[in-house]
Amino acid sequence: MLELKHINVSFRTERQDRIFGHTRQQVLFDVSMTVRDGTCLGILGESGSGKSTMGRVLCGLLKPDSGEAVLDGVPIYGSRAGRRNLQNKLSVVFQDYTTSANPRFRVRDIIGEGLTVQERREGSRLDRNWEVADLLETVGLPAAFSDRFPHELSGGQLQRVCIARAVACNPKIILFDEAISSLDAHTQVQIMDLLRELKERLGLTYIFITHDLTAITYLCDDVLFLYQGRVTEYMPVSRISETKDDYARRLLQAIIVFEDEEADG
Ligand SMILES: Nc1ncnc2c1ncn2[C@@H]1O[C@H](COP(=O)(O)OP(=O)(O)O)[C@@H](O)[C@H]1O
Ligand SMILES: [Mg+2]
């Protein structure tokens, strides 16, 4: 179980005030949430609402000003053991697969980064060729792709490689930050199908950050709406139509109108 309790985060702004020194901009306000094992939590909000900041707190990269982040009862910040506990259990997939994959690495080396993490943790040596071929198959790519470079793959294929790298660490939890947002609609659905299947097969827990409500309804059990750094709604996806939250309602209406238009042709 991964929990955030009353998280506040602020950043120093560049603008320097002559009298008061640096000013700070608060980005997250009293954010709390729980991700239960084996479920998928969606974090939804428009650009700048603080989703990635929340993601960085969750993956151990950003210590909050106040509040607690706790994984399986162990606080993530404040001790080396806490950080290690997190690193052992959590992988991340980012939106920008073109920069998160080294352009000079072949696919086998990109996936190899994840295998190295697993080897270091378990003090074992893996059969690299076999593991890479197996992981490629797991994400629906031919084993022959292991020799390719990122520029020899489509966006969807490269994102599959990044997913294979995340899975290679043998994580319990995967955090996706806008991981499908820059793919075309058809490829998005294919990747979401893959994510669903992997989650079942490997017993994974997901945190899925997006600005797209459709992806949330497709993939998530619970949804948290973030608006200007505050949680405005947090509920099971199955009850989303009952929301009283303005922002959530606006998003829902946009989808319903869109679907009506589709139906009208
Ligand atoms: N390292 C940083 N330093 C200063 N401001 C930041 C930093 N990271 C994010 N911000 C600010 O925090 C706010 C939320 O950003 P972010 O979490 O990236 O939102 P989202 O992912 O929802 O688009 C934005 O106003 C952004 O400019
Ligand atoms: Mg973001």
Side-chain angles (χ1 to χ4, degrees):
M1 195 162 86
L2 181 55
E3 294 167 278
L4 295 183
K5 299 176 188 175
H6 307 292
I7 296 287
N8 289 285
V9 171
S10 62
F11 293 112
R12 238 165 108 144
T13 54
E14 289 101 52
R15 186 165 44 88
Q16 199 163 5
D17 192 299
R18 280 235 185 105
I19 303 162
F20 300 109
H22 286 283
T23 49
R24 294 188 80 86
Q25 178 205 359
Q26 187 157 355
V27 172
L28 292 180
F29 300 83
D30 195 34
V31 170
S32 297
M33 49 133 257
T34 302
V35 196
R36 289 168 291 122
D37 289 349
T39 65
C40 177
L41 171 73
I43 299 174
L44 186 75
E46 53 200 7
S47 177
S49 57
K51 303 182 299 294
S52 293
T53 303
M54 210 173 146
R56 286 171 65 206
V57 171
L58 283 166
C59 57
L61 295 171
L62 180 69
K63 189 177 190 300
D65 301 348
S66 65
E68 254 200 329
V70 182
L71 174 60
D72 296 335
V74 185
I76 294 168
Y77 296 94
S79 78
R80 193 179 288 192
R83 206 71 62 90
R84 191 165 325 119
N85 179 47
L86 180 78
Q87 283 162 358
N88 285 343
K89 293 176 182 170
L90 184 132
S91 287
V92 189
V93 179
F94 293 106
Q95 167 172 22
D96 201 354
Y97 44 83
T98 49
T99 55
S100 67
N102 188 329
R104 294 187 191 160
F105 275 19
R106 291 181 192 274
V107 164
R108 86 165 88 80
D109 302 316
I110 296 168
I111 297 176
E113 294 174 309
L115 293 171
T116 304
V117 172
Q118 195 195 140
E119 283 178 337
R120 205 177 297 148
R121 184 170 71 226
E122 290 165 12
S124 60
R125 279 239 155 265
L126 297 164
D127 178 345
R128 289 287 172 123
N129 288 337
W130 190 89
E131 293 286 342
V132 168
D134 185 52
L135 283 160
L136 283 171
E137 196 200 322
T138 300
V139 297
L141 294 174
F145 274 34
S146 66
D147 285 330
R148 294 206 185 183
F149 289 101
H151 71 267
E152 297 172 317
L153 303 173
S154 71
Q157 288 167 343
L158 187 50
Q159 195 59 308
R160 283 174 192 266
V161 170
C162 292
I163 293 165
R165 172 176 60 188
V167 169
C169 311
N170 207 5
K172 271 185 61 180
I173 308 170
I174 305 182
L175 182 132
F176 300 91
D177 188 351
E178 304 273 14
I180 61 169
S181 301
S182 34
L183 302 172
D184 63 79
H186 179 66
T187 311
Q188 285 189 353
V189 174
Q190 289 180 334
I191 299 284
M192 285 193 290
D193 283 337
L194 170 67
L195 296 183
R196 269 202 208 174
E197 184 204 318
L198 286 180
K199 181 167 169 297
E200 272 312 298
R201 181 135 60 96
L202 305 173
L204 293 166
T205 303
Y206 285 167
I207 300 160
F208 194 83
I209 295 176
T210 180
H211 60 270
D212 176 13
L213 182 60
T214 317
I216 298 269
T217 55
Y218 202 77
L219 214 54
C220 300
D221 301 293
D222 298 311
V223 59
L224 181 154
F225 287 82
L226 205 57
Y227 186 71
Q228 296 182 352
R230 291 180 168 86
V231 178
T232 60
E233 184 68 280
Y234 182 29
M235 64 184 345
V237 169
S238 58
R239 289 184 26 224
I240 211 169
S241 59
E242 300 164 25
T243 180
K244 300 256 185 315
D245 177 60
D246 276 346
Y247 176 56
R249 295 210 66 82
R250 256 191 295 138
L251 286 175
L252 273 174
Q253 260 149 20
I255 289 182
I256 292 161
V257 169
F258 177 70
E259 279 177 352
D260 283 353
E261 280 170 2
E262 292 256 293
D264 293 346

